[in-house]
């Protein structure tokens, strides 16, 4: 009887919302929002959607109306009481009261700011402008919405049995991947797949499969809502937007060169322990480490998010060793383009040399390659980045040229200031 | 696909557990456990099941094996991470951090202590013995298990359509009751129906109906797990076991007479505000108020749990007035044998004279009277009480003789010490 009523009630819904909670986002966004809201309340930024996979004609697949409905729905969301309770009462990284009463007050009143949407050819221009701490919270839901609307568009024409078989095959694939990691005794792996997931329910299923299949080797998920519901760790620290915005706000080459370390200086005032993870690739890993002040070597770990991951890890290990740090006490987090073979390869090389952790993203939560008609469900490279801060353009160099962004003249200046001489041209899966 | 797997997986369950969480209990048990664990860690008590409705042959209806399986299941339960988060992070009665780190540490490690079960004729003897703070947590799950096993026993032989119609009628009844309260503008009512509910899912449904039907007039539920899941207030303060155990531990008539006020003296060291609610009827309301020290009149409210409720409320109002307190600033909570007509009658008499609150129990969550075959689903009067403390028997007089308990000679002594001359012989529904 209850189900019947529920079904009929559901008929009154205008849409089937993709993002149903402000916590359906990555944990590091909250860590960053807390520090940004406290330290940089006056910085205004612009975030912009960038589809690096031009062969996917988003505006052909997804109608402007359904996209607007989903974005508008996110703007109606407020934290629920249970969600506030979780933020206040849960232990994050072994620490109670990670979020200050000030931040929680702010977040309880928070609603997503406005968006600007325009169709240009077969793509969308989607931008967000306003206070940094507010605008930054659009990145993950905006990406998740576009990815899932694209999935829905492709799946819309499949019959019930086709759908059942499709998901049966996708589940089999994920389960076999997980089985392929079970023999690594000291594996520590997390789900980092929120932004480019096939869909919310699918990500939630993948996390349950990881819990079941990997037991204590599964460290948690970057998705706050799923961490709450499945009672696992929420995982994440910080992202490129911090050095990108700090850099854009500098007025001289000297300040620009110092800005990535200013980010860390502020961060370590707010956080400690396993949250002290360096993301060194924004303007080139090698130069970042070479020029770093000595205290940076005290930090807990490094996250390798572009370039050749083994090379990045070796660079970090050499750097620690050169500064008298024991790499076996240090943490390396791999988070770029991981799948089972790559995870096993990195584990084989670095296990025992450093503490290892993996953040498994798109190829965990959206590996529908070859399923459905042709390859129309394959993941693609969609990002949403801070492109300006207080009216000045941002720049990212990255260790992979395909991930670089910013105005050409500024890229040249940054390369000069940060001493970047070579850059890998990597294949870009996602 | 997920459902299919879940169904097959569920086949491997040995039982369908009734109590699946240590939080599936009444909030006041946690309030009391915290203070008892801190102040009286060495008191040992015995709780015992008492079926005041002898016409319900529990041991005929419910097999000893299924009862043991359910009780054993409760002994496997531990607080989950999300539950600990809720206790730590939620706001209770407008207050953060209601539970001390010490109590939460204790509760995280807690498992239900042993039970002793024996069949005697067509009834069960079910007793629990051990440290007070541990044993007291058996009361609510033990009652809920027996009530639900009895429901299941009666329903076991009904076909699917019969069940659908039965629940449709029960839902209609609850919904009509709730509609019958909607025109009381300042109503404040809670669900107090955990212990004698028809079943867990049914209580959860009733709470959802209250949320939907009464909006802000619904104040919350005594059930912690449902409060957590439905994101409503957890409601409750203290119970008769406090004065009963304190009284049993005294060594002289003078100490006995003072013991109910000793309970309050300790309670107000631990709690404040709306948690300062007097439960005056344990050894007779009239005498309790007459002999109370002046500071007791400062307390926030009184809970009326036996006797004629209007008479009890008038007694309290007269008492406050005689001591220069403004009754309009005071809270009266009615929690005994409520149904719509009685709630409306009490509201009509006392609205405007005091702050009013209702704790609606068995006739909210278990009014299956006349549904099913004959009256075999009607609620009955099952309790689980502290019958001894450190080896001495406890006594309860109550304002209703049918609720009195204890050895005859002790009852006589208590009546003499507390000056009880008359006592109402009330009808006992539940």
């Amino acid at each position: 009887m209850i189900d019947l009523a529920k079904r009929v009630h559901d008929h009154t819904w205008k849409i089937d919302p993709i993002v149903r909670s402000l916590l359906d986002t990555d944990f590091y966004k909250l860590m960053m929002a807390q520090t940004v809201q406290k330290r940089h309340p006056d910085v205004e930024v612009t975030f912009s959607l960038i589809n690096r996979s031009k062969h996917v004609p988003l505006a052909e697949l997804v109608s402007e109306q359904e996209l607007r409905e989903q974005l508008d729905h996110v703007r109606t969301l407020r934290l629920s009481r249970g969600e506030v309770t979780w933020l206040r009462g849960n232990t994050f990284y072994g620490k109670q009261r990670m979020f200050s009463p000030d931040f929680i007050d702010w977040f309880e009143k928070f609603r997503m700011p406005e968006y600007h949407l325009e169709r240009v050819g077969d793509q969308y221009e989607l931008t967000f402008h306003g206070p940094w701490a507010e605008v930054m919270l659009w990145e993950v839901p905006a990406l998740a919405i576009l990815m899932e609307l694209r999935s829905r568009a492709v799946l819309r024409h499949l019959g019930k049995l086709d759908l059942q078989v499709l998901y049966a095959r996708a589940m089999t694939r994920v389960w076999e991947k997980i089985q392929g990691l079970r023999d690594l005794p000291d594996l520590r792996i997390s789900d980092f797949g929120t932004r480019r997931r096939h869909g919310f329910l699918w990500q939630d299923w993948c996390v349950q499969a990881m819990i079941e299949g990997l037991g204590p080797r599964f460290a948690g998920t970057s998705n706050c809502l799923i961490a709450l519901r499945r009672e696992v760790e929420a995982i994440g620290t910080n992202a490129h937007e911090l050095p990108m915005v700090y850099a854009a706000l500098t007025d001289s080459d000297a300040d620009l060169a110092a800005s990535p370390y200013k980010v860390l200086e502020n961060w370590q005032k707010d956080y400690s322990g396993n949250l002290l993870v360096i993301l060194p690739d924004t303007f080139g890993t090698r130069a970042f480490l070479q020029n770093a002040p000595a205290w940076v070597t005290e930090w807990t770990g490094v996250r390798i998010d572009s370039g050749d991951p083994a090379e990045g890890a070796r660079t970090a290990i050499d750097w620690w060793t050169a500064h008298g740090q024991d790499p076996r006490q240090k943490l390396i987090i791999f988070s770029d383009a991981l799948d089972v073979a790559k995870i096993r390869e990195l584990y084989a090389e670095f296990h025992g040399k450093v503490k290892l952790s993996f953040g498994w993203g798109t190829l965990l939560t959206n590996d529908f390659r070859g399923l459905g008609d042709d390859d129309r469900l394959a993941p693609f490279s969609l990002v949403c980045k801070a492109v300006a801060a207080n009216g000045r353009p941002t720049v990212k160099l990255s260790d992979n040229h395909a991930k670089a962004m910013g105005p050409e003249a500024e890229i040249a200046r940054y390369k000069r200031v940060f001493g970047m001489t070579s850059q890998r041209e990597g294949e870009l899966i996602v």
Side-chain angles (χ1 to χ4, degrees), chain A:
Chain A
M1 303 302 285
I2 298 172
D3 277 2
L4 188 65
K6 186 175 180 320
R7 291 288 187 92
V8 175
H9 175 259
D10 289 355
H11 292 164
T12 65
W13 289 5
K14 286 206 204 67
I15 59 165
D16 181 1
I18 290 172
V19 173
R20 297 175 183 220
S21 158
L22 291 176
L23 290 189
D24 184 8
T25 194
D26 281 340
F27 182 67
Y28 74 176
K29 281 286 172 180
L30 303 192
M31 303 301 297
M32 291 191 290
Q34 174 164 259
T35 189
V36 165
Q37 204 271 327
K38 184 170 83 177
R39 298 185 180 281
H40 313 287
D42 300 328
V43 173
E44 301 241 315
V45 299
T46 305
F47 268 66
S48 181
L49 186 80
I50 302 160
N51 181 3
R52 299 190 291 212
S53 304
K54 295 296 176 205
H55 65 277
V56 178
L58 272 179
E60 299 286 339
L61 289 165
V62 173
S63 84
E64 186 172 331
Q65 193 201 332
E66 61 181 339
L67 177 52
R68 281 188 187 276
E69 283 170 349
Q70 292 292 344
L71 296 168
D72 289 342
H73 181 75
V74 177
R75 296 197 62 218
T76 68
L77 297 174
R78 296 286 283 264
L79 282 184
S80 79
R81 178 176 175 162
E83 292 169 343
V84 174
T85 293
W86 182 78
L87 290 173
R88 231 197 265 121
N90 196 36
T91 306
F92 300 100
Y93 282 81
K95 189 168 178 293
Q96 291 183 21
R97 291 191 283 284
M98 175 69 81
F99 297 103
S100 70
D102 281 353
F103 177 72
I104 288 176
D105 283 353
W106 173 85
F107 200 22
E108 272 192 279
K109 295 188 198 92
F110 174 76
R111 281 179 193 248
M112 286 289 199
E114 289 188 1
Y115 64 87
H116 305 278
L117 176 65
E118 208 175 317
R119 178 174 176 157
V120 178
D122 61 4
Q123 299 295 333
Y124 285 116
E125 274 188 17
L126 176 59
T127 56
F128 311 93
H129 180 77
W132 188 6
E134 296 184 13
V135 165
M136 71 192 300
L137 293 176
W138 260 119
E139 176 180 353
V140 178
L143 292 173
I145 283 171
L146 275 154
M147 296 303 290
E148 185 163 345
L149 283 178
R150 187 266 206 152
S151 302
R152 289 185 185 182
V154 175
L155 295 175
R156 193 168 288 145
H157 310 291
L158 293 189
K160 200 173 158 192
L161 257 286
D162 285 334
L163 282 171
Q164 285 199 342
V165 172
L166 176 82
Y167 280 108
R169 290 175 64 197
M171 284 178 185
T172 308
R173 178 180 289 174
V174 169
W175 191 242
E176 282 172 357
K177 288 189 188 198
I178 291 171
Q179 298 300 318
L181 295 170
R182 291 184 64 144
D183 62 323
L184 305 180
D186 298 319
L187 182 67
R188 190 179 154 78
I189 191 164
S190 307
D191 157 41
F192 274 21
T194 302
R195 66 191 56 211
R196 279 191 286 274
R197 68 194 181 196
H198 171 76
F200 172 76
L201 292 174
W202 181 250
Q203 184 187 11
D204 188 40
W205 187 88
C206 292
V207 167
Q208 291 174 72
M210 295 274 272
I211 294 170
E212 177 90 15
L214 294 178
R217 278 162 296 193
F218 176 60
T221 171
S222 63
N223 187 297
C224 300
L225 185 63
I226 296 176
L228 185 166
R229 294 222 184 129
R230 301 296 163 202
E231 302 189 6
V232 296
E233 296 289 336
I235 304 280
T237 55
N238 53 57
H240 298 106
E241 67 182 277
L242 292 176
M244 287 167 71
V245 170
Y246 272 56
L249 295 176
T250 57
D251 290 320
S252 67
D253 286 357
D255 285 355
L256 175 59
S259 65
Y261 311 109
K262 187 70 191 163
V263 169
L264 305 191
E265 201 185 315
N266 281 341
W267 189 264
Q268 69 186 5
K269 287 177 194 153
D270 294 340
Y271 302 113
S272 59
N274 278 351
L275 289 165
L276 298 186
V277 173
I278 304 162
L279 182 62
D281 68 327
T282 314
F283 309 121
T285 295
R286 195 165 289 277
F288 176 92
L289 296 179
Q290 264 165 14
N291 301 326
W295 55 264
V296 175
T297 65
E298 306 282 342
W299 273 40
T300 307
V302 162
R303 179 156 73 94
I304 311 285
D305 200 45
S306 63
D308 178 64
E311 193 186 311
R314 282 180 222 121
T315 306
I317 289 170
D318 292 345
W319 173 68
W320 279 317
T321 309
H323 288 80
Q325 298 282 341
D326 178 1
R328 283 168 304 179
Q329 303 304 317
K330 296 294 187 178
L331 177 67
I332 288 190
I333 302 171
F334 293 107
S335 62
D336 184 35
L338 295 177
D339 210 352
V340 173
K342 179 59 77 179
I343 292 168
R344 294 190 66 91
E345 185 188 313
L346 293 167
Y347 184 93
E349 178 169 351
F350 295 103
H351 175 235
K353 295 188 183 146
V354 291
K355 295 182 187 172
L356 268 182
S357 185
F358 297 90
W360 196 2
T362 310
L363 294 178
L364 169 63
T365 62
N366 199 359
D367 190 358
F368 282 67
R369 290 176 296 183
L371 304 179
D373 292 349
D374 316 318
D375 224 11
R376 292 169 59 216
L377 280 176
F380 62 106
S381 188
L382 192 69
V383 297
C384 181
K385 290 284 184 189
V387 294
N390 285 352
R392 300 156 176 219
T394 65
V395 168
K396 183 184 174 189
L397 300 180
S398 171
D399 290 328
N400 177 353
H401 181 66
K403 286 185 168 184
M405 52 168 280
E408 221 170 302
E410 284 294 286
I411 288 183
R413 182 169 79 94
Y414 275 61
K415 282 192 173 176
R416 176 173 54 75
V417 168
F418 288 105
M420 179 179 278
T421 48
S422 70
Q423 195 181 31
R424 181 172 181 257
E425 183 77 45
E427 183 206 11
L428 198 63
I429 303 174
V430 288

